Amino acid sequence: MQDTDNRDWELGEKTPARPGEWAGQFEWVEEPEVSPDGERLAAVVNTGEDGFTLCVNGVVWENLYERVWYPRFAPDGRLTALAQRDGQSVLCVDGEEEGEWHDFLWDTLFSGDGGTIACAAQNGGAYSVVKDGTRWEEEFFNLSGLAVSPEGSKCVAVVQVEQMPAGDITKFQEGCYKIAINGKTPGARLLSAWDTAFSKDGAHAATEVRVSPYDYTIAVDGVPWEKTFPGVWRPRFNPKTGLITAPVKIGSGWTLAAGGEPLWDRLFTQLWRHKYSGDGSRAAAVIALRYGRWSVAVDGVPWENTYGDFVDELALSSDGSLVACIASDQGRRTIVVNDRPWTGAYDMVWPPVISPDGRRVAAVVESGGKTAIAVDGAVLASGFLKAFPPVFGPGSDRVLVRAIHDSGGKALYVRKVLQLDGPR
Amino acid sequence: MHSLYAFLTGSMVWVSVLLFLGGSVYSLVSRAVMARKMDKMVYSYFSLHYALRSIFHWVIPYAARNWRLHPLFTFVTFTFHICLIWTPLVLFAHVGLFYEAWGFSWWFIPDLAGDVCAGLVLACCLFFLGRRLFLRDVRYLSTASDYVMLALVAAPYLTGMWAHRQWPGHETALLLHVFSGELLLALIPFTKLGHMLFFLFTRGYIGSEFGAVRHARDW
Amino acid sequence: MTDEIGAPRGHIKDVGIETGAARLTPEIIRKTALRMLHEEAGARLRTYLDICVRCGLCSNACHYYNSMGGDPTYSPAGKVKETLSVIMAKNGRVDVEFMKKACEIAFTECNLCRRCAMYCPLGIDTATMMLFVRRLCHKLGMVPQYIQDTAHSHSATMNQMWVKEDEWIDSLQWQENEAREEVPDLRIPLEKEGADVFYSVIGPEPKFRAQLIYQAAVIFHKAGVNWTMPATPGWDNSDMCMYTGDMEMMSRLKKLHFETALRLRAKRIVMGECGHAFRSVYDMGNRALGWRYPPVPVIHAIDFFHEILTQGKIKVAQKYEKPVTIHDPCNIVRGRGLHEKLREAVGMLCETVIEMEPNREHNYCCAAGGGVINCGPPFKMKRVLGARVKGDQLMEVHKKGGVTCIAPCHNCHGGLEDILHHYKIPMDLKFLGDIIYQCMEK
Ligand code: SF4
Ligand code: SF4
């Protein structure tokens, strides 16, 4: 996460919320969420007889509901949650109900800047998408895999366009699903479809699809590549060139392919979750180098170190010179940066965060039930009950720590900006 | 006749031993290579400890539940396999041949004991034949090749005993003995007799899977 | 002894098998089989076929063989002889009728229970070979309708029962509301990051057996477990694609399941009382993706219940009084050796246990496993008849006074229910969770 707005980067500590004190005021307090700038802490609270609402820095929203769930801060700082009453759902944004009530709402998603908020919606058994309070005109028999484009112009989902009588295996194999783009379904009929990726400008969407019982490929704006594979995973767009790439299975191995042709010149036992650097100059992917040994390949070249449990959550600096990930071996997790694991191993590790200058890596780590923020392998701040992802300041020399710690038996939320030592 | 005997006990020994050894190495190695390519997990999960644990329980009579469920068969099959393998290796007549040719020898059993063992092998073969003929499931499972194998296995022991006992036609029997013995040896790697080679690996692998991955016994 | 061998096959008409067969020609079969033999018949399979000495020692390992009057075509080696041996020997030159029969055998006469691998002195794993035949059938587009439909559901919805995204969340919230009537401060925490336990269940739980989620929630709540469930696909740990031979879809399902656990930063995956799902997550799905062991530790409910019982996190208020017996699900016994923990847990909860013989690793399958029950009504009678030995075991227990059969597996429940009904055995069936819920201090 990088800072682009006018956040308070003054060194020092604030305590915007005292969740430990909320506990006494409510029946219970659920898992807290924190705003991107760290100034607000919010949690669903059960107020007792009257119902549920959100408590933000100790102040509750006006409306009470039978249920409030899925509180999420948008990247622009707006706080959303899904509320239910009398078997109906509504989206709440900063305490206000946005748009109509629906039979069910779920899967709140945001565009990159948070300007757009979308949810999946069900009304009377018909499925649709609500974007910024407005429901698609089109409705479908089912809907899944909702995605919002980075600039917010598009919502894409996998939709069922034809009803299947129970047990009709022939109909399924003829294809009852399509990709809906802002409600329209211009593309081909599919057996199934899953994850979608967008081009940087949001103009195009690529989705992993199944076009026959044996063939998988990538559909671009709903239209499948001609070439198919026995397996594909989630595609990505190169942010610079717009080239669509996807992990594909060829024979008994996996490689990265573009437009159906292999891009990397070797096969791996497994390859998935590839990502590009911001400038599109490099691609990295999680790979299994051989059976049971996991690693990372950068532009097709594998790292030397391998890990037995898994490798996950790749992150690349914008120029691609730094690649970081989570790796786990024998139940101990750590962060690996450019093939070098941090010396510490932890019970749990959260995704690595790279500084804007691409030289530092920070992450939330947990050991023995206590959480800490570590930067470049060294603990920066520790002893928390819970820590949220750290944020680097624009100069890469400061870190915003958002964490909850135990203050005399009561949970206290702290927001601190810490100075990092000189450049590495 | 003499030259045929010389041929059978000379070059043919080499041929059969080479076929046996070469064939065994070939079939084991080619399977190992194939497994490297197509059954990667075999290598990944093979555990010496658990493989031996499993093999151990299956080479001890009545140690596995299924051995106990088939008491007579177990008795017969262990007798059969022990006599089948040990008799030719420690038979005085065989050891003597070695001594003549190479000048060294090892512990041996008298030929009379050899006859008893061969007789046991034959009796066991008859038992197996009976199973193939009269047990409904085994008869159904048996194919022509299973009967041929049985005959092939019995042949050297029958002819060996024949020759040693000097029954009529024992000279021919001796030739047949040598020939069938060599044939049997040479065929091991290329037929179902190969279970003798692969047993350690198939049992060992399932033992590894059961022991190391599934934490269960397999006997 | 009669000379007539081989149960009549082919008289059960299944839409999936028939429509698949209608599209086939010997040429298609040969090409598909050759490709599969070339690409997927590895050293293990070939060695099994090469060295089987056809001794018949595996026959009495198989409950089908034992239940079907010793019909040798039901013996493990017999099933191989009827199917894969021929395909291999003839290099795929088999006709459509042959493949229909092979399909019926592989899908409905073998539970992939792996008991025979324990009884063959050479350690030949017949289940592997039957699964190979199933995969060939999948590639030929000839799979029994009901299980194929389930596999389609997996593909479209990432769960076994066509449960839509909102329906999943709705069922959890509904169960939470129900449970709050009993335990007012109970929660089913959705999407909670960093919990100790990601609790995953099979598709039929939210659809048909939602009370199990309710009970699990009460048990976890009382035990003070820090747990969560996802509000996204990936919640379902079940896997019929594994059993139709659609390994590509199996991989996809397991990938999503593990990714969900990783995304939620859960320390362990605890699964509900299901056997096949455990096999998929613990044994087969992870392997297909390249994981030697699951990336996140996978704990079966029995293991977890045993843990919280022995740690005293759950207290037994009153032991279950009716005499019980224990059915060992193949996939967690031969698949994970949980039989002793199961017995210890039952011992802590129940007054009297009457064992079935044989038990533990040597248990008989309920004949529902391996996707057989999922092949649906057309094959139900065959399945129940194939489980006669299980019926005999249960009848014995009943005669000794047994009242309740504890079976910690969903498919076993389905299978045992039919067995109890068909063989008129007046016993009831329970999950271990049912017993805990009933006996615990609340
Ligand atoms: S599978 Fe094993 S037990 Fe069965 S017939 Fe073959 S060798 Fe004998
Ligand atoms: S049902 Fe079980 S015992 Fe019978 S053949 Fe299949 S795996 Fe073997």
Side-chain angles (χ1 to χ4, degrees):
Chain A
M1 210 179 289
Q2 291 178 13
D3 176 60
T4 46
D5 50 24
N6 302 320
R7 270 172 218 176
D8 177 2
W9 284 107
E10 283 299 307
L11 293 177
E13 184 174 314
K14 298 184 200 172
T15 52
R18 299 175 173 273
E21 283 171 12
W22 307 353
Q25 299 166 29
F26 307 106
E27 292 290 310
W28 71 72
V29 181
E30 302 191 354
E31 296 73 40
E33 292 284 321
V34 73
S35 63
D37 63 5
E39 304 285 356
R40 283 170 298 152
L41 187 82
V44 172
V45 292
N46 178 1
T47 63
E49 289 305 299
D50 304 328
F52 290 79
T53 189
L54 269 183
C55 177
V56 188
N57 285 3
V59 182
V60 293
W61 280 359
E62 235 168 70
N63 295 331
L64 294 177
Y65 301 92
E66 283 170 16
R67 175 186 299 280
V68 175
W69 71 291
Y70 213 67
R72 292 291 181 271
F73 278 96
D76 62 2
R78 288 190 287 168
L79 175 59
T80 71
L82 296 165
Q84 297 173 359
R85 191 185 293 137
D86 299 329
Q88 296 263 300
S89 291
V90 73
L91 174 73
C92 298
V93 180
D94 286 336
E96 302 294 324
E97 292 171 8
E98 179 166 303
E100 298 157 35
W101 285 77
H102 302 265
D103 283 0
F104 206 88
L105 284 179
W106 76 102
D107 203 9
T108 317
L109 290 175
F110 310 105
S111 59
D113 64 0
T116 293
I117 304 175
C119 288
Q122 180 264 113
N123 285 288
Y127 288 78
S128 191
V129 169
V130 179
K131 186 181 156 204
D132 294 328
T134 313
R135 174 147 50 119
W136 281 357
E137 277 165 23
E138 298 78 5
E139 292 194 317
F140 303 95
F141 296 105
N142 193 6
L143 182 144
S144 60
L146 178 62
V148 180
S149 65
E151 31 54 77
S153 67
K154 279 191 182 134
C155 287
V156 167
V158 179
V159 294
Q160 185 180 345
V161 293
E162 190 174 339
Q163 191 68 292
M164 263 178 291
D168 192 338
I169 53 179
T170 312
K171 179 137 263 152
F172 175 87
Q173 293 183 359
E174 286 163 6
C176 296
Y177 296 84
K178 282 186 138 196
I179 307 295
I181 304 167
N182 286 347
K184 302 284 178 285
T185 54
R189 288 205 170 215
L190 307 159
L191 271 68
S192 304
W194 302 284
D195 281 357
T196 293
F198 285 96
S199 59
K200 199 176 170 191
D201 60 3
H204 299 287
T207 312
E208 42 173 347
V209 300
R210 185 184 194 188
V211 292
S212 92
Y214 317 105
D215 299 298
Y216 301 79
T217 192
I218 301 301
V220 182
D221 300 327
V223 182
W225 283 349
E226 260 175 36
K227 180 131 185 190
T228 63
F229 304 88
V232 298
W233 303 128
R234 190 183 208 266
R236 292 267 180 197
F237 286 79
N238 182 318
K240 181 85 176 289
T241 63
L243 187 74
I244 302 165
T245 51
V248 300
K249 192 168 192 198
I250 295 175
S252 59
W254 290 81
T255 191
L256 198 64
E261 295 308 318
L263 193 69
W264 287 358
D265 60 0
R266 63 176 282 187
L267 293 178
F268 298 97
T269 298
Q270 188 54 269
L271 187 155
W272 57 39
R273 314 199 94 182
H274 73 301
K275 267 191 185 162
Y276 282 94
S277 58
D279 64 2
S281 65
R282 299 189 115 178
V286 173
I287 55 156
L289 197 53
R290 53 180 197 279
Y291 185 65
R293 297 308 298 179
W294 296 85
S295 189
V296 170
V298 181
D299 291 338
V301 182
W303 283 355
E304 275 181 15
N305 290 312
T306 62
Y307 305 86
D309 303 338
F310 65 86
V311 165
D312 198 20
E313 301 289 355
L314 275 181
L316 284 83
S317 63
S318 48
D319 65 354
S321 62
L322 188 147
V323 180
C325 66
I326 300 177
S328 174
D329 200 53
Q330 299 184 353
R332 305 287 291 158
R333 302 177 184 212
T334 193
I335 296 282
V336 182
V337 180
N338 286 349
D339 202 9
R340 278 198 304 279
W342 283 1
T343 44
Y346 309 92
D347 299 341
M348 190 53 65
V349 171
W350 273 255
V353 178
I354 300 177
S355 63
D357 66 0
R359 302 169 76 117
R360 293 175 180 271
V361 177
V364 176
V365 296
E366 184 195 312
S367 273
K370 286 281 181 202
T371 319
I373 304 283
V375 177
D376 296 334
V379 169
L380 179 73
S382 62
F384 303 123
L385 301 172
K386 180 181 174 70
F388 300 93
V391 185
F392 280 102
S396 299
D397 57 346
R398 288 180 184 193
V399 173
L400 168 61
V401 172
R402 303 170 294 170
I404 295 171
H405 71 85
D406 188 342
S407 159
K410 285 205 167 153
L412 181 70
Y413 169 66
V414 289
R415 177 204 190 274
K416 353 183 191 192
V417 177
L418 298 176
Q419 178 74 44
L420 294 170
D421 298 338
R424 282 210 293 172
Chain B
M1 196 103 146
H2 214 77
S3 58
L4 187 58
Y5 179 77
F7 171 67
L8 283 176
T9 53
S11 332
M12 273 304 283
V13 175
W14 287 110
V15 172
S16 67
V17 168
L18 279 179
L19 277 171
F20 166 66
L21 290 178
S24 299
V25 170
Y26 170 78
S27 56
L28 288 175
V29 169
S30 64
R31 279 293 145 85
V33 170
M34 184 187 248
R36 262 258 170 261
K37 254 178 65 191
M38 299 173 75
D39 314 69
K40 293 196 181 101
M41 55 264 269
V42 168
Y43 288 92
S44 188
Y45 297 102
F46 203 92
S47 137
L48 193 62
H49 171 79
Y50 288 110
L52 290 175
R53 184 180 79 158
S54 174
I55 291 165
F56 181 76
H57 281 91
W58 283 93
V59 296
I60 308 269
Y62 306 106
R65 181 170 191 263
N66 209 18
W67 287 146
R68 294 194 293 277
L69 291 178
H70 297 87
L72 180 60
F73 177 87
T74 303
F75 177 75
V76 173
T77 197
F78 276 92
T79 310
F80 170 77
H81 282 95
I82 291 167
C83 292
L84 182 85
I85 295 167
W86 280 104
T87 314
L89 292 179
V90 296
L91 187 70
F92 172 68
H94 289 179
V95 178
L97 282 175
F98 251 87
Y99 189 73
E100 273 171 35
W102 302 89
F104 70 91
S105 68
W106 55 88
W107 182 85
F108 54 83
I109 55 168
D111 284 349
L112 186 65
D115 280 348
V116 173
C117 291
L120 283 174
V121 169
L122 292 175
C124 295
C125 283
L126 276 179
F127 174 83
F128 291 145
L129 180 67
R131 286 186 89 239
R132 292 220 184 275
L133 289 176
F134 300 116
L135 283 190
R136 199 172 168 222
D137 58 328
V138 189
R139 187 180 53 198
Y140 163 76
L141 292 175
S142 301
T143 57
S145 78
D146 294 310
Y147 291 98
V148 174
M149 281 303 129
L150 207 51
L152 259 174
V153 170
Y157 295 84
L158 178 67
T159 51
M161 211 159 99
W162 195 304
H164 180 238
R165 301 261 109 194
Q166 307 265 315
W167 288 331
H170 61 85
E171 289 188 346
T172 319
L174 182 63
L175 287 179
L176 285 175
H177 170 68
V178 180
F179 177 71
S180 61
E182 289 166 350
L183 187 64
L184 184 63
L185 189 67
L187 282 179
I188 288 174
F190 307 105
T191 57
K192 283 202 186 303
L193 299 172
H195 73 269
M196 163 188 152
L197 302 170
F198 282 104
F199 161 76
L200 294 174
F201 299 97
T202 49
R203 184 81 253 161
Y205 177 67
I206 212 79
S208 305
E209 282 267 7
F210 268 79
V213 182
R214 302 184 189 135
H215 309 283
R217 291 170 299 179
D218 65 327
W219 59 85
Chain C
M1 195 171 82
T2 116
D3 270 354
E4 223 173 287
I5 272 176
R9 294 186 171 97
H11 64 283
I12 300 172
K13 295 287 173 240
D14 177 274
V15 175
I17 300 182
E18 296 301 326
T19 48
R23 293 189 295 249
L24 290 180
T25 62
E27 194 42 38
I28 297 177
I29 297 174
R30 201 174 79 86
K31 263 176 58 186
T32 314
L34 272 183
R35 204 173 54 234
M36 239 192 100
L37 290 178
H38 176 69
E39 287 170 5
E40 298 183 25
R44 213 152 50 107
L45 203 82
R46 287 173 193 272
T47 304
Y48 289 156
L49 286 170
D50 285 352
I51 66 167
C52 167
V53 288
R54 303 182 188 269
C55 63
L57 281 197
C58 53
S59 299
N60 62 348
C62 183
H63 48 282
Y64 279 101
Y65 175 84
N66 292 333
S67 299
M68 300 293 208
D71 179 339
T73 60
Y74 284 104
S75 79
K79 287 178 252 200
V80 177
K81 178 178 166 151
E82 293 280 319
T83 58
L84 189 57
S85 294
V86 181
I87 297 169
M88 204 84 163
K90 293 191 170 174
N91 253 325
R93 265 191 208 86
V94 293
D95 61 21
V96 179
E97 280 309 306
F98 175 91
M99 273 318 299
K100 278 170 72 174
K101 191 172 101 178
C103 180
E104 186 174 335
I105 293 174
F107 272 97
T108 72
E109 294 171 18
C110 174
N111 299 104
L112 312 179
C113 76
R114 301 193 272 217
R115 193 173 193 262
C116 46
M118 280 180 80
Y119 281 70
C120 166
L122 303 179
I124 290 176
D125 186 0
T126 300
T128 302
M129 294 189 267
M130 288 299 110
L131 202 52
F132 187 88
V133 177
R134 289 193 188 184
R135 177 150 169 85
L136 176 60
C137 293
H138 157 70
K139 295 223 162 179
L140 291 169
M142 185 170 60
V143 170
Q145 178 194 14
Y146 278 77
I147 193 169
Q148 183 62 72
D149 183 60
T150 315
H152 286 161
S153 167
H154 277 304
S155 174
T157 63
M158 290 281 126
N159 70 71
Q160 196 189 332
M161 287 283 141
W162 301 102
V163 178
K164 295 169 178 170
E165 289 187 1
D166 58 317
E167 291 173 342
W168 161 247
I169 301 165
D170 200 25
S171 331
L172 294 185
Q173 296 180 336
W174 164 51
Q175 285 311 308
E176 189 181 58
N177 286 344
E178 295 275 305
R180 279 181 189 162
E181 304 273 311
E182 186 183 358
V183 186
D185 58 342
L186 178 138
R187 285 184 60 204
I188 297 182
L190 288 182
E191 291 287 315
K192 177 178 177 181
E193 253 194 26
D196 294 333
V197 166
F198 161 27
Y199 184 56
S200 71
V201 297
I202 64 168
E205 286 208 21
K207 196 97 173 175
F208 304 120
R209 284 177 174 157
Q211 90 281 1
L212 290 177
I213 298 177
Y214 172 122
Q215 288 177 3
V218 173
I219 295 170
F220 291 168
H221 180 81
K222 285 291 161 189
V225 178
N226 177 6
W227 68 298
T228 189
M229 290 181 106
T232 60
W235 54 266
D236 180 21
N237 50 31
S238 73
D239 188 349
M240 279 305 137
C241 299
M242 163 176 78
Y243 285 152
T244 61
D246 187 349
M247 301 314 176
E248 289 75 14
M249 271 310 303
M250 168 180 82
S251 306
R252 182 171 288 279
L253 294 171
K254 292 310 107 166
K255 175 173 180 273
L256 183 64
H257 189 60
F258 289 132
E259 277 179 356
T260 306
L262 289 172
R263 174 177 66 77
L264 290 171
R265 324 268 159 229
K267 301 211 175 61
R268 301 193 286 178
I269 298 173
V270 171
M271 333 185 10
E273 292 181 61
C274 181
H276 94 272
F278 186 78
R279 178 186 192 141
S280 167
V281 181
Y282 180 74
D283 186 336
M284 292 185 61
N286 54 314
R287 293 183 186 201
L289 290 162
W291 269 305
R292 189 156 181 261
Y293 290 105
V296 181
V298 171
I299 314 288
H300 188 269
I302 296 309
D303 214 346
F304 192 69
F305 288 153
H306 177 266
E307 180 182 311
I308 56 180
L309 277 165
T310 47
Q311 290 176 351
K313 290 184 177 165
I314 288 284
K315 302 248 177 338
V316 180
Q318 177 156 31
K319 278 194 166 189
Y320 190 78
E321 280 172 6
K322 296 183 216 163
V324 302
T325 189
I326 299 169
H327 169 74
D328 292 289
C330 308
N331 284 321
I332 64 164
V333 169
R334 271 188 295 286
R336 184 58 181 80
L338 290 180
H339 40 273
E340 296 305 343
K341 284 187 176 170
L342 174 56
R343 277 165 181 74
E344 282 169 29
V346 171
M348 281 184 259
L349 293 159
C350 302
E351 298 278 2
T352 319
V353 180
I354 304 170
E355 287 282 4
M356 287 188 257
E357 295 295 333
N359 53 50
R360 297 175 165 83
E361 292 105 325
H362 294 280
N363 77 315
Y364 282 123
C365 173
C366 60
V372 172
I373 195 172
N374 308 78
C375 292
F379 302 99
K380 177 177 168 189
M381 207 16 96
K382 182 196 278 202
R383 166 167 59 81
V384 175
L385 294 177
R388 189 184 48 78
V389 286
K390 191 88 232 174
D392 291 348
Q393 282 186 308
L394 286 162
M395 190 57 104
E396 270 309 301
V397 169
H398 163 63
K399 283 185 189 151
K400 289 182 193 161
V403 176
T404 300
C405 175
I406 300 176
C409 166
H410 279 272
N411 284 336
C412 293
H413 263 245
L416 293 171
E417 217 163 76
D418 293 336
I419 292 169
L420 293 174
H421 183 252
H422 179 86
Y423 296 102
K424 303 197 170 50
I425 308 165
M427 288 180 75
D428 55 3
L429 272 173
K430 294 228 182 286
F431 288 95
L432 192 63
D434 293 328
I435 305 267
I436 298 180
Y437 173 75
Q438 185 177 331
C439 299
M440 68 193 261
E441 274 178 17
K442 293 203 191 89

